[in-house]
């Protein structure tokens, strides 16, 4: 009799779980990840920042690949997929909990803005007006300043939870970190069934300003950040790069990559010539492109996992950064340190310090104009 009672309870509990899973409520908050395997988006509590609730959103596609994104910094915290041996691991560096992001994350997975990369001395002019920005990297302004977009709690637009799409909004007020104009920003992530993560950025301002948005994900295709990325093979479609001074500010020159360690037009191991680049790769490449449509600009392969990452963008440049400043002082949630070269970034963007370099493509955004860029990362296993 007792046994029958027990079986009855199990059946009722299972029915209750199935009903809850199929209830179709939008962006429903759940307390565990048990419901996160169905296609779409599931929302999980992740903590609070500045008194505002922070969530983690799990995007799942039909293949069962998952991208996790938190509205703190519109940050990609994990992208898990199967490798060639059927092992599921994450190909981006990140933390399992919010505290990792609050404890000095080097922009892991975040959306950076208003300006990705550096603006010399934190100063620029629009017309006759000079603007002074927060300085947070030596004498220069980096990735939007002291409290850039990576440290803001974004609002999430409620969308159908049956699609692996997440739309995040942020209003950057006039004067924030020294930038002019109220700027409305939207970033929309979409995970397709072809294992593509598309990031679409749009923005509008009410005063002329400068804008350069990018995503700062660090990739490690082995899926294990105790490995470095020096054996990954990289291809970048670029005939020129922008050399920098000692403060990593472009000199203004566009230098040919031919015959230098910056030539990745035919795939090369990242580590093959890195010793000839003082400090490692941390440079903007001038993309070889026919127009501003979404085009393939780079691809990376790793023989250990069999994974391949292709990068498509509408942007004119990409900052190829090999995690040179990671030094083991930050640890993952698994207690494994993030060592030098534990990940590489492909930050699709306009060129650093463009507001002070009239010959670089402009980053000026005026009222009435719509900022719109798209970047897509496509993952496959060979
Ligand atoms: C920059 C590096 C910087 C890193 C982390 C990259 O985009 O180019 O110089 O150290 O971000 O902040």
């Amino acid at each position: 009799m007792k046994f029958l009672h027990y079986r009855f309870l199990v059946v009722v509990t299972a029915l209750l779980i199935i009903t809850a899973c199929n209830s179709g409520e939008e962006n429903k908050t759940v307390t565990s990840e048990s419901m996160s395997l169905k296609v779409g988006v599931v929302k999980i509590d992740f903590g609070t920042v500045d008194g505002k609730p922070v969530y983690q959103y799990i995007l799942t596609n039909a293949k069962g690949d998952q991208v996790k994104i938190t509205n703190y910094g519109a940050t990609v915290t994990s992208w898990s997929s199967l490798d060639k041996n059927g092992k599921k691991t994450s190909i981006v560096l990140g933390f399992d909990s919010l505290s990792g992001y609050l404890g000095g994350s080097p922009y892991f997975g975040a959306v950076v803005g208003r300006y990705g990369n550096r603006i010399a001395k934190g100063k620029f002019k629009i017309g006759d007006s000079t603007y002074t920005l927060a300085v947070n990297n030596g004498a220069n302004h980096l990735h939007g300043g002291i409290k850039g977009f990576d440290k803001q709690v974004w609002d999430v637009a409620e969308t159908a939870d049956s699609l692996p799409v997440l739309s995040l909004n942020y209003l950057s007020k006039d004067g924030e970190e020294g930038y002019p104009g109220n700027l409305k920003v939207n970033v929309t992530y979409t995970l397709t069934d072809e294992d593509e993560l598309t990031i679409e950025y749009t923005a509008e301002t009410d005063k002329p300003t400068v804008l350069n948005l990018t995503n700062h994900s660090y990739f490690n295709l082995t899926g294990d950040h105790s490995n470095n990325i020096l054996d990954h093979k990289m291809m970048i479609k670029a005939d020129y790069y922008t050399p920098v001074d000692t403060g990593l500010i472009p000199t203004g020159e566009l230098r040919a990559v031919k015959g230098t360690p910056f030539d990745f037009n035919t795939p090369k191991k990242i580590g093959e010539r890195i010793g000839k680049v003082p400090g490692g790769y941390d440079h903007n490449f001038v993309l070889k492109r026919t127009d501003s449509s979404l085009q393939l600009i780079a691809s990376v392969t790793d023989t250990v996992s069999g994974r391949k990452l292709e990068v498509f963008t509408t942007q004119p440049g990409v900052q190829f950064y090999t995690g040179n400043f990671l030094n083991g002082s930050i640890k993952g949630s698994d207690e494994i340190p993030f060592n030098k070269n534990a990940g590489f970034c492909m930050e699709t963007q306009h060129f650093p310090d463009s507001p002070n370099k009239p010959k670089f493509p402009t980053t000026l955004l005026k009222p009435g104009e719509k900022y719109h860029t798209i970047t897509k990362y496509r993952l496959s296993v060979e």
Side-chain angles (χ1 to χ4, degrees), residues 106-107 116-118 137 142-143 216 218 248 282-283 319-321 325 345 347 349:
Y107 303 94
N117 217 280
R118 294 173 177 79
N137 187 252
L142 174 69
H143 294 333
H216 208 303
Y218 291 64
L248 299 176
D282 190 359
H283 295 81
Q319 184 79 11
F320 171 41
Y321 171 59
F325 295 110
C345 303
E347 298 159 71
Q349 56 181 28

Side-chain angles (χ1 to χ4, degrees), residues 16-276:
L16 279 174
I17 289 173
I18 290 165
T19 314
C21 287
N22 291 328
S23 66
E25 280 177 53
E26 295 199 346
N27 283 347
K28 194 167 182 240
T29 305
V30 291
T31 47
S32 84
E33 297 191 21
S34 57
M35 286 166 55
S36 61
L37 271 170
K38 63 174 186 158
V39 173
V41 185
V42 168
K43 177 179 174 185
I44 288 175
D45 287 321
F46 209 43
T48 52
V49 173
D50 303 334
K52 293 178 198 152
V54 172
Y55 300 100
Q56 190 170 52
Y57 297 84
I58 304 175
L59 278 61
T60 306
N61 69 8
K63 283 190 186 163
D65 280 19
Q66 292 189 318
V67 171
K68 295 182 184 174
I69 298 163
T70 170
N71 61 323
Y72 179 67
T75 301
V76 175
T77 61
S78 146
W79 180 352
S80 58
S81 72
L82 296 177
D83 68 10
K84 68 175 182 191
N85 302 312
K87 196 172 168 206
K88 202 170 205 183
T89 46
S90 174
I91 57 142
V92 294
L93 308 191
F95 304 99
D96 289 349
S97 64
L98 184 59
S99 57
Y101 294 94
L102 301 176
S105 164
Y107 303 94
F108 281 167
V111 166
V112 294
R114 293 192 190 187
Y115 203 94
N117 217 280
R118 294 173 177 79
I119 296 181
K121 311 260 187 295
K123 286 205 187 300
F124 67 94
K125 272 178 110 173
I126 299 177
D128 292 335
S129 311
T130 298
Y131 295 96
T132 303
L133 304 174
V135 159
N136 60 330
N137 187 252
N140 302 318
H141 175 89
L142 174 69
H143 294 333
I146 296 163
K147 196 167 180 186
F149 292 3
D150 60 296
K151 296 181 187 65
Q152 303 291 350
V153 178
W154 293 56
D155 295 321
V156 172
E158 298 288 319
T159 44
D161 70 351
S162 56
L163 296 171
V165 177
L166 192 71
S167 170
L168 302 113
N169 295 308
Y170 178 63
L171 170 66
S172 170
K173 298 229 172 93
D174 188 15
E176 185 178 278
E177 301 294 301
Y179 289 99
N182 291 297
L183 182 81
K184 277 190 199 159
V185 185
N186 176 270
V187 173
T188 299
Y189 289 99
T190 304
L191 176 66
T192 71
D193 289 341
E194 286 72 48
D195 291 340
E196 298 162 328
L197 182 65
T198 303
I199 315 176
E200 187 159 5
Y201 306 82
T202 55
E204 283 174 273
T205 182
D206 62 3
K207 279 186 194 165
T209 190
V210 293
L211 187 61
N212 190 26
L213 300 173
T214 190
N215 178 280
H216 208 303
S217 286
Y218 291 64
F219 298 94
N220 184 323
L221 300 186
T222 72
D224 174 356
H225 70 260
S226 63
N227 299 321
N228 66 42
I229 45 76
L230 298 178
D231 281 341
H232 287 41
K233 259 192 179 172
M234 171 68 76
M235 185 281 290
I236 307 176
K237 288 189 184 179
D239 288 335
Y240 297 89
Y241 74 105
T242 51
V244 286
D245 68 15
T246 50
L248 299 176
I249 299 291
T251 58
E253 182 195 352
L254 302 189
R255 191 176 291 172
V257 298
K258 208 172 163 65
T260 77
F262 295 91
D263 190 352
F264 285 97
N265 282 295
T266 51
K268 291 272 186 313
K269 279 192 176 171
I270 292 176
E272 195 177 312
R273 301 159 301 169
I274 199 170
K276 295 185 183 145

